[in-house]
């Protein structure tokens, strides 16, 4: 269940990470009691409404409508009994029949559905990858959505796209169509857990946060040698990881790299990371930590639960997680600092690859089987309003929360019905739990609900990450031909790079063979990957 709490925190952490789209919110919220469709006023020249489907207000349809929805399910509750979805049915007049699959088998079921042609009407929280959007969009399986947005069936989305054209551009495929919708959060800083220091170790050693890779090495060395947990044993683990996946991107920033695969630099040049000189610097440093037992030697074999057990036993000094108490235990506090990225020998380092503000994959799509795309678009558009986002993320009013001051949107928490964990109870109310779902995160959603810990997180981000942060690469689409080529190349490259990373770090492959490794990467298509993504980036950058 801890994993579910962690996953849901990614979605719920608007209470921790948000300060965005204020202008967009204020205009959207006016008249939202009429359905959140504040941009839905139409002129006499606006396109006519589909018969039986209203462009503003509720219900959406004049006659009951039933649609089939396919989504991922964390398995906490029957979706038919969820208060949020029951409220939506009352509000909209649209009944949903759910064709869900567990998270771990959803991708397989989605592929089978696409292959069979036995389609749902709607994909929700469906993790529609760019290649799927391009492929099934060009085949007519997923229908273009921009028509319904521009014709007035998604006024909240239209408002956002008009104010933030890069969002629309980033979800428009090379054929000019939009086949899926994103989750939007322009204030997001992280897209995976950052790194944290064990504050007790810093205090015990009288240490300040390192500012360079040399200082970081020295600090980790002290952790190993000076018994900061005070138990008289050399059981401290300076740096802990799970296959390096949880910390690779953060560490690469120390060598001026924004992402572990593809990134564009400040001059709009696209790079394939594993063949960059900065990547060699990263490997060299990690190898040094491994050789001196400063990097956990169970890195490539342990589970997340095993890592957390070490944290709760007060053995680890530096680690990655969404929040430090997820690993160390205890309650949320400001005692364990967010790691300040450190400077290396690479000029203009460090950098940080921040969240781009939108999901990289599609969260919602409408299929060719759908009998009423207009009504479906009106349904999903509500989730991009203040009221809809509140409903789907916090549940109906007076269950877990109530308004303290509705005019200022200030809320307060209510006791969890029957006691128990608030997040787990929330997972029984709404589908937006443990999955990345469509909608928007706005600064006014959590007014009154933010804790001191939330405010502390904001300050840590503002001081340590935001000044050096840039989204690594925009959400772009390759053409079908480019995607086919890139997928084939990356399939082999990803496997080779992952194997060689482990060998270089553990010393099973000497870094004196770096040039040989780069030659092999180029032979396998490293330069071509950079070229393909440069072309896509240039198209995106020119608005084509």
């Amino acid at each position: 269940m801890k994993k579910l709490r962690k996953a849901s925190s990614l979605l719920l952490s608007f209470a921790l990470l948000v300060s965005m789209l204020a202008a967009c919110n204020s205009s959207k919220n006016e008249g939202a009691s009429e359905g959140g469709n504040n941009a839905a006023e139409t002129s006499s020249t606006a396109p006519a409404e589909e018969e039986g489907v209203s462009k503003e207000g509720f219900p959406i349809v004049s006659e009951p409508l039933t649609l089939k929805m396919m989504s991922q399910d964390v398995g906490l509750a029957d979706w038919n009994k969820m208060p949020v979805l029951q409220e939506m049915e009352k509000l909209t007049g649209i009944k949903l029949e759910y064709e869900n699959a567990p998270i771990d088998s959803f991708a397989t079921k989605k592929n089978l559905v696409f292959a069979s042609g036995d389609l749902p009407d709607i994909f929700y929280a469906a993790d529609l990858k760019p290649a799927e959007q391009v492929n099934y969009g060009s085949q007519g399986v997923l229908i273009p959505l921009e028509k319904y947005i521009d014709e007035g069936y998604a006024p909240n989305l239209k408002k956002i796209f008009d104010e933030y054209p890069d969002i629309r551009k980033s979800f428009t495929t090379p054929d000019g169509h939009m086949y899926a919708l994103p989750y939007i959060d322009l204030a997001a800083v992280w897209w995976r857990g950052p790194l944290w220091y064990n504050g007790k170790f810093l205090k015990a050693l009288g240490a300040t946060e390192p500012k360079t890779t040399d200082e970081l090495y020295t600090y980790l060395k002290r952790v190993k040698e000076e018994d900061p947990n005070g138990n008289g044993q050399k059981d401290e683990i300076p740096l802990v990881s799970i296959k390096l996946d949880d910390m690779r991107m953060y560490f690469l920033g120390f060598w001026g790299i924004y992402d572990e695969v593809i990134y564009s630099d400040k001059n709009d040049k696209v790079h394939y990371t594993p063949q960059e000189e900065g990547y060699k610097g990263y490997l060299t440093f990690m190898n040094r930590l491994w050789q001196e037992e400063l990097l956990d030697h169970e890195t490539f074999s342990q589970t997340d639960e095993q890592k957390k057990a070490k944290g709760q036993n007060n053995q680890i000094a530096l680690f990655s997680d969404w929040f430090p108490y997820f690993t160390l235990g205890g309650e949320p506090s400001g005692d364990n600092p967010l790691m300040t990225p450190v400077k290396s020998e690479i000029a203009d380092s460090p950098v940080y690859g921040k969240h781009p503000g939108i999901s990289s994959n599609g969260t919602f799509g409408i299929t060719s089987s759908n009998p009423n795309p207009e009504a479906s678009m009106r349904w999903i558009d509500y989730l991009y309003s203040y009221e809809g986002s509140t409903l789907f993320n916090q549940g109906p009013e007076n269950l877990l929360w109530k308004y303290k001051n509705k005019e200022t949107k200030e809320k307060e928490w209510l006791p969890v019905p029957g006691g128990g964990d608030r997040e787990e109870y929330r997972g029984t109310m709404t589908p937006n739990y443990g999955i990345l779902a469509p909608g928007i995160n706005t600064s006014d959603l959590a007014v009154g609900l933010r804790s001191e810990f939330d405010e502390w997180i904001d300050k840590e981000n503002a001081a340590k990450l935001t000044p050096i942060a840039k989204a690594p690469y925009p959400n772009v689409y390759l053409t079908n031909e480019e995607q086919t080529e890139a997928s084939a190349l990356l399939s082999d490259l990803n496997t080779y790079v992952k194997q060689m990373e482990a060998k270089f770090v553990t010393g099973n492959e000497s870094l004196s063979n770096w040039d040989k490794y780069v030659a092999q990467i180029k032979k396998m298509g490293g330069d071509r990957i950079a070229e393909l993504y440069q072309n896509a980036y240039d198209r995106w950058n020119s608005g084509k």
Side-chain angles (χ1 to χ4, degrees), residues 471-483:
Y473 188 78
N475 195 63
V476 305
Y477 291 87
L478 303 182
T479 65
N480 272 322
E481 294 76 15
E482 290 171 336
Q483 186 64 65

Side-chain angles (χ1 to χ4, degrees), residues 201-275:
F201 283 20
L202 285 170
K203 187 174 181 180
L205 296 175
T208 57
E209 282 195 56
K211 297 295 189 294
T212 67
T213 51
D214 286 342
E215 290 178 7
L216 177 60
Y217 165 80
T218 299
Y219 173 71
L220 296 177
K221 189 83 169 171
R222 289 189 63 194
V223 168
K224 180 176 173 58
E225 296 175 348
E226 297 182 27
D227 190 29
N229 67 10
N231 66 357
Q233 303 176 38
K234 286 197 171 184
D235 61 347
E236 288 84 357
I237 304 169
L239 175 62
V240 67
S241 178
I242 308 294
K243 298 180 177 62
L244 302 179
D245 293 338
D246 53 351
M247 51 153 284
R248 182 185 301 109
M249 185 169 165
Y250 206 91
F251 263 56
L252 283 169
F254 307 166
W255 283 271
I257 293 173
Y258 289 94
D259 184 76
E260 58 197 88
V261 182
I262 294 289
Y263 70 96
S264 60
D265 62 26
K266 295 176 182 177
N267 297 316
D268 294 334
K269 181 181 178 181
V270 174
H271 301 262
Y272 177 57
T273 294
Q275 64 187 27

Side-chain angles (χ1 to χ4, degrees), residues 276-427:
E276 294 293 312
E277 194 65 24
Y279 186 73
K280 180 184 180 183
Y282 154 77
L283 292 175
T284 302
F285 186 74
M286 299 308 295
N287 173 254
R288 183 185 187 189
L289 298 186
W290 180 274
Q291 296 300 336
E292 300 194 33
E293 298 186 352
L294 305 182
L295 172 62
D296 191 354
H297 274 209
E298 294 183 341
T299 286
F300 296 101
S301 60
Q302 68 187 333
T303 64
D304 189 57
E305 288 74 15
Q306 290 170 322
K307 182 190 84 169
K308 283 178 165 53
K310 295 173 182 177
Q312 292 174 19
N313 200 37
N314 198 31
Q315 290 180 266
I316 60 180
L318 182 60
F319 58 94
S320 173
D321 210 328
W322 195 251
F323 299 123
Y325 67 93
F326 284 3
T327 290
L328 298 178
E331 297 299 319
S333 75
D335 296 334
N336 303 293
L338 176 70
M339 182 190 191
T340 302
V342 297
K343 181 176 178 57
S344 70
E345 69 278 5
I346 297 292
D348 299 323
S349 66
V351 299
Y352 177 72
K354 76 181 290 288
H355 195 290
I358 56 175
S359 57
S360 57
N361 294 333
T363 58
F364 178 86
I366 298 175
T367 76
S368 56
S369 298
N370 192 306
N372 200 321
E374 293 86 358
S376 302
M377 185 58 71
R378 273 292 325 275
W379 189 94
I380 196 61
D381 184 63
Y382 187 56
L383 277 66
Y384 291 91
S385 71
Y386 168 81
E387 278 74 15
S389 188
T390 294
L391 175 64
F392 271 75
N393 284 290
Q394 298 166 352
E397 186 179 0
N398 296 321
L399 270 180
L400 279 180
W401 64 277
K402 69 177 182 179
Y403 276 112
K404 197 171 182 179
N405 185 330
K406 196 163 187 176
E407 287 188 6
T408 61
K409 302 189 181 112
E410 184 180 1
K411 303 167 185 168
E412 61 182 345
W413 292 120
L414 295 173
V416 178
D421 183 82
R422 183 178 300 279
E423 273 296 281
E424 289 180 20
Y425 186 83
R426 193 179 72 85

